[in-house]
Amino acid sequence: MRRVPDSVVRPAYAGVPGPELYDGSDVMDAETVEKMRIAGEVAADSILIAAAEIRPGITTDHLDKVAHEFLCDHGAYPAALDYRGFPKSICTSVNEVICHGIPDTRPLEEGDLIKIDSTAFLNGVHGDNCATFYVGEVSEEAKLLSERTREAMYRGIKAVKPGRQLSVIGRVIESYAKRFGYDTVREYTGHGCHVAFHSGMIVLHYDEPMLDTIIEPGMCFTIEPMLTMGSARNKQWNDGWTVVTRDGSWCAQFEQTLVVTETGTEILTVPSSGELILGGDPTTIDTSKIA
């Protein structure tokens, strides 16, 4: 585990073996949402700073180092670090790894897809996001998977309106994914995210009418679909974290933290450039816009 400066405030769950417990509301006040905009910006910038380093031969551990240092330099605690014992500061999930990949000394290879998931804990709130990037030249099939997963996420976000049931998000995402023969991972979901890293609120990425929670203004949560080329049936490695597809098919993921407004949503994980993370080719990232 990387060192965190003493000046950085740690969340209560850091180093605690049991799960984070939260029994409050998922509706946040304006002051809390403003703090989340700041945390979200730092989280989004940390992904871009790390992604700018992506190229064949670079290790995922190096990406973890870059993101960790950026977060700490901006006064943020890398929320993944020591969360239920997770040993690194970000998740790096390559190819058939669906999520929770642990950064290590594996060098990235030409044609890989890599998901970078980074969460900043700052001023008592969280910003949680993820994007999929290419390592060098990737196959057209991999590009389409990534682009369509990003589109599925934004379609899910656009479906959010006060008064609708939470199930509308999964219905829209799964319907879009099925058009291209993709499967949707069911076991890993979006979640309430604000003062709590994971509040207990569940956001499904597939159609489940029984998820009848009514969407309200001020609700804060993530939408983070994981789509696979083949079957989404999965298994967890013995490390207790890494989740992979059983058939070895590749997976892409995108995630944003958002707040529900009176008319729709506002994405809170927006980089300092003001432009949403598109993923894809990391050579297009302009880090000069990041403070």
Side-chain angles (χ1 to χ4, degrees):
M1 293 186 182
R2 302 188 187 281
R3 179 182 172 275
V4 176
D6 293 339
S7 58
V8 174
V9 177
R10 288 156 173 74
Y13 53 75
V16 177
E20 177 190 15
L21 299 176
Y22 178 77
D23 58 4
S25 173
D26 290 296
V27 175
M28 298 292 114
D29 59 28
E31 181 181 358
T32 302
V33 171
E34 179 55 35
K35 290 179 181 179
M36 290 179 65
R37 289 190 186 96
I38 298 170
E41 179 179 296
V42 173
D45 282 348
S46 73
I47 283 185
L48 293 178
I49 286 288
E53 299 287 307
I54 292 174
R55 60 185 179 275
I58 286 293
T59 67
T60 52
D61 186 63
H62 174 73
L63 302 183
D64 181 78
K65 177 177 183 291
V66 171
H68 175 93
E69 292 179 351
F70 180 87
L71 289 166
C72 292
D73 287 347
H74 287 74
Y77 182 87
L81 184 64
D82 213 10
Y83 176 74
R84 303 190 188 186
F86 191 79
K88 291 292 184 175
S89 298
I90 61 173
C91 296
T92 52
S93 304
V94 181
N95 300 339
E96 74 276 11
V97 179
I98 293 173
C99 59
H100 304 161
I102 301 174
D104 59 18
T105 56
R106 173 201 191 278
L108 295 172
E109 299 178 7
E110 184 85 14
D112 283 342
L113 278 186
I114 177 170
K115 288 84 73 179
I116 299 179
D117 190 326
S118 179
T119 305
F121 175 77
L122 181 63
N123 297 322
V125 299
H126 299 79
D128 185 4
N129 60 167
C130 176
T132 300
F133 296 92
Y134 312 148
V135 182
E137 290 294 322
V138 304
S139 68
E140 185 65 15
E141 186 180 32
K143 282 185 180 180
L144 288 174
L145 174 68
S146 179
E147 291 170 1
R148 289 165 176 168
T149 302
R150 184 181 66 221
E151 176 65 17
M153 176 190 67
Y154 284 121
R155 287 183 179 228
I157 291 173
K158 289 177 182 176
V160 175
K161 297 283 191 303
R164 290 183 174 177
Q165 293 183 346
L166 209 56
S167 58
V168 69
I169 298 168
R171 184 158 57 252
V172 167
I173 289 172
E174 185 175 40
S175 175
Y176 180 74
K178 282 183 174 180
R179 286 168 51 181
F180 308 102
Y182 300 144
D183 205 358
T184 306
V185 175
R186 293 179 169 234
E187 293 86 348
Y188 301 91
T189 71
H191 51 90
C193 182
H194 32 73
V195 295
F197 190 179
H198 300 89
S199 72
M201 175 186 185
I202 294 175
V203 180
L204 301 179
H205 304 119
Y206 60 91
D207 190 12
E208 176 47 79
M210 291 182 67
L211 186 63
D212 57 1
T213 301
I214 300 300
I215 298 170
E216 303 175 46
M219 275 185 170
C220 295
F221 53 87
T222 70
I223 296 179
E224 46 184 299
M226 303 161 217
L227 304 185
T228 60
M229 290 182 185
S231 170
R233 292 184 65 245
N234 56 77
K235 60 183 179 181
Q236 187 180 72
W237 284 357
N238 291 336
D239 61 19
W241 286 103
T242 309
V243 179
V244 298
T245 57
R246 286 184 175 270
D247 64 3
S249 62
W250 285 17
C251 176
Q253 180 190 15
F254 282 83
E255 174 186 16
Q256 299 281 21
T257 301
L258 56 90
V259 58
V260 180
T261 67
E262 295 293 336
T263 57
T265 62
E266 176 192 348
I267 295 172
L268 299 175
T269 36
V270 180
S272 54
S273 66
E275 301 172 359
L276 294 173
I277 298 176
L278 296 179
D281 183 359
T283 65
T284 62
I285 295 172
D286 182 2
T287 57
S288 68
K289 297 180 181 179
I290 300 175

